[in-house]
C-alpha cells in the first residue's frame, strides 16, 4: 500500500507511556468503543474535561458499520477537537479484537497507534505464532500490540463464545516472552455484552477471579494487563430502557467496586462498551417517549450524547481513577 499514514502524524500516542504511568499510579486507562460521531464527541469531551488519557477503540464491526476510512479521519478530528479544548491528553487509536494479521497490518498502515490481535480461540501454539507475526510488523512502526490468553464468554460484534475459559497463569510468562506483546488481555470472569452473569439479582453476581489476576501478576510483574467486558451494566439505564418499551431482562455487569480494585492492580486498560450503548439507548428511548412530536435527530442524539459525557466522566473519576492523569 502506497498511501500509508503513521499515527504520530495524526497526533496520536501508543500505549507505552500511558501504561507505564498507569502501572506506577495505580489506575487504569479507559478504552471506549465508538461507532459514530456522537459517541466520539462524548468520549473526547468527557476525557478532555476530566484530563484523562484515553484509548479510542474500533472493532471490526465498527469499521464495517461506519467505514474504516471515515472512522480514522474522525479519530484525527477527535485529537484536534481535544487540542481546541486546551487539552493535551494522550489519545490512542486502537483496533479492538483484530482477527487476522492482514487486518492488523492494515490498521498499522492507516494511522492506528495500537492493535489487538485476538488469537484466543486458536490453539496455544497458533495464538503465539499469529501474535508474534503481528508484533514483528507493528513494532517496526512503534505501534503497540495487545494479545489475549483465555476466552471471554458473551457476544461483542463478531466475537462470541458460549463459555468462558479462564486464563491459565502458567502460560502467561511463556506467551509474553515468545510473542513480545505490550499488554495482555486475560479472562478472570468478565464477559462481553449486557448479560454478563446468569443471575436474577445483583447480589448473586459472582466475584471476579482475583486469585488468577494475582498469580498472573506474580509471574509477569509490572506487565500491563487488560480487562475486556468490564461494563457495570448500569441498572439506572436498564430500568429506563425497560420503562420506555425495552426488554432487557436480567442484564447485569461487573460491580464498580471490583473494577476499582482491578484498576489499582496491574490492570492498566479497562474496556467499556456496553455501558455506553445502554446510556445512548436509554436516553433516546426516554426522549422520544417524552417528546412524541420531535423528529430532529439532534434532539434525541444530543440527549444521548449528554448522558454519555456524564457516564464517562463518572468512570474516569470514580471507577478507573484516570481523571487528572492526562
Ligand atoms: Zn473484548
Amino acid at each position: 500500500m502506497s498511501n500509508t499514514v503513521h499515527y504520530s502524524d495524526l497526533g496520536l500516542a501508543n500505549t507505552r507511556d500511558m501504561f507505564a504511568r498507569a502501572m506506577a499510579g495505580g489506575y487504569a486507562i479507559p478504552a471506549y468503543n465508538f461507532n459514530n460521531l456522537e459517541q466520539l464527541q462524548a468520549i473526547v469531551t468527557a476525557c478532555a474535561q476530566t484530563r484523562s488519557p484515553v484509548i479510542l477503540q474500533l472493532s471490526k464491526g465498527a469499521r464495517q458499520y461506519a467505514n474504516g476510512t471515515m472512522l480514522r479521519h474522525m479519530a484525527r478530528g477527535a485529537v484536534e477537537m481535544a487540542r481546541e479544548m486546551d487539552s493535551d491528553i494522550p489519545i490512542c487509536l486502537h483496533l479492538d479484537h483484530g482477527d487476522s494479521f492482514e487486518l492488523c497490518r492494515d490498521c498499522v498502515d492507516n494511522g492506528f497507534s495500537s492493535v489487538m490481535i485476538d488469537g484466543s480461540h486458536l490453539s496455544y501454539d497458533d495464538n503465539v505464532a499469529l501474535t508474534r507475526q503481528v508484533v514483528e510488523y507493528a513494532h517496526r512502526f512503534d505501534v503497540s500490540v495487545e494479545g489475549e490468553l483465555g476466552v471471554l464468554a458473551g457476544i461483542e460484534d463478531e466475537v462470541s463464545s458460549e463459555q468462558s475459559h479462564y486464563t491459565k497463569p502458567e502460560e502467561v510468562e511463556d506467551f509474553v516472552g515468545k510473542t513480545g506483546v505490550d499488554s495482555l488481555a486475560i479472562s478472570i470472569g468478565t464477559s462481553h455484552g449486557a448479560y454478563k452473569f446468569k443471575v436474577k439479582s445483583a447480589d448473586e453476581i459472582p466475584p471476579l477471579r482475583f486469585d488468577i489476576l494475582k498469580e498472573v501478576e506474580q509471574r509477569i510483574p509490572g506487565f500491563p494487563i487488560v480487562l475486556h467486558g468490564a461494563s457495570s451494566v448500569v441498572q439506572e439505564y436498564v430500568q429506563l430502557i425497560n420503562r420506555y418499551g425495552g426488554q432487557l431482562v436480567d442484564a447485569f455487569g461487573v460491580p464498580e467496586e471490583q473494577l476499582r480494585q482491578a484498576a489499582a492492580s496491574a490492570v492498566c486498560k479497562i474496556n467499556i462498551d456496553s455501558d455506553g450503548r445502554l446510556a445512548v439507548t436509554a436516553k433516546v428511548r426516554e426522549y422520544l417517549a417524552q417528546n412524541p412530536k420531535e423528529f430532529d435527530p439532534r434532539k434525541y442524539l444530543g440527549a444521548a450524547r449528554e448522558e454519555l459525557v456524564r457516564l464517562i466522566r463518572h468512570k474516569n473519576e470514580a471507577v478507573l481513577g484516570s481523571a487528572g492523569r492526562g
Side-chain angles (χ1 to χ4, degrees), residues 26 34 37-38 48 75 80 99 145 226 243 247 265 288 312 322-323:
F34 73 101
L37 175 68
E38 284 79 5
E80 291 178 20
D99 60 357
V145 180
V226 178
R243 184 184 313 155
Q247 289 180 357
S265 74
L288 292 176
I312 293 170
S322 61

Side-chain angles (χ1 to χ4, degrees), residues 85-315:
M85 292 174 72
D86 266 339
S87 166
D88 59 355
I89 52 167
I91 299 175
C92 167
L93 180 62
H94 174 78
L95 170 69
D96 195 17
H97 290 287
D99 60 357
S100 69
F101 170 75
E102 290 73 22
L103 175 60
C104 291
R105 183 180 59 192
D106 188 46
C107 288
V108 170
D109 289 346
N110 282 284
F112 281 63
S113 56
S114 177
V115 293
M116 175 190 193
I117 177 67
D118 179 358
S120 62
H121 53 287
L122 303 172
S123 72
Y124 178 80
D125 288 339
D126 288 349
N127 188 2
V128 168
L130 178 62
T131 306
R132 176 75 221 161
Q133 189 188 11
V134 171
V135 168
E136 277 172 2
Y137 187 77
H139 280 187
R140 283 163 48 192
F141 304 94
D142 210 21
V143 169
S144 310
V145 180
E146 175 184 323
E148 177 162 336
L149 268 180
V151 178
L152 273 71
I155 183 157
E156 181 187 45
D157 293 340
E158 286 101 79
V159 185
S160 76
S161 176
E162 286 274 304
Q163 276 222 310
S164 70
H165 303 278
Y166 294 122
T167 302
K168 296 177 189 147
E170 61 273 21
E171 288 180 349
V172 297
E173 223 174 320
D174 185 68
F175 186 82
V176 165
K178 279 185 180 154
T179 60
V181 280
D182 303 284
S183 62
L184 182 67
I186 62 169
S187 174
I188 58 165
T190 61
S191 62
H192 291 125
Y195 302 91
K196 298 196 187 298
F197 306 103
K198 290 188 176 70
V199 296
K200 297 278 173 200
S201 75
D203 36 287
E204 294 170 37
I205 296 171
L208 295 180
R209 291 289 303 273
F210 282 99
D211 56 319
I212 296 177
L213 174 60
K214 205 170 165 194
E215 211 185 319
V216 167
E217 283 188 70
Q218 281 164 354
R219 285 171 182 270
I220 42 173
F223 193 81
I225 301 300
V226 178
L227 277 194
H228 281 242
S231 281
S232 296
V233 186
V234 178
Q235 290 301 297
E236 178 195 330
Y237 298 146
V238 173
Q239 283 154 16
L240 263 185
I241 288 170
N242 290 341
R243 184 184 313 155
Y244 293 108
Q247 289 180 357
L248 296 185
V249 182
D250 298 332
F252 294 103
V254 185
E256 290 188 342
E257 184 45 46
Q258 293 192 39
L259 294 172
R260 267 184 220 111
Q261 194 182 330
S265 74
V267 170
C268 287
K269 171 174 180 268
I270 291 186
N271 292 3
I272 297 170
D273 188 3
S274 294
D275 278 345
R277 296 180 180 200
L278 291 167
V280 168
T281 302
K283 284 296 159 176
V284 168
R285 279 191 179 277
E286 180 187 54
Y287 190 92
L288 292 176
Q290 290 178 352
N291 302 274
K293 291 182 180 160
E294 189 57 67
F295 66 98
D296 181 347
R298 290 174 298 186
K299 293 289 170 53
Y300 53 85
L301 294 177
R305 184 175 65 184
E306 210 172 292
E307 186 58 40
L308 205 43
V309 170
R310 260 198 296 277
L311 172 78
I312 293 170
R313 288 186 59 117
H314 166 75
K315 296 282 182 190

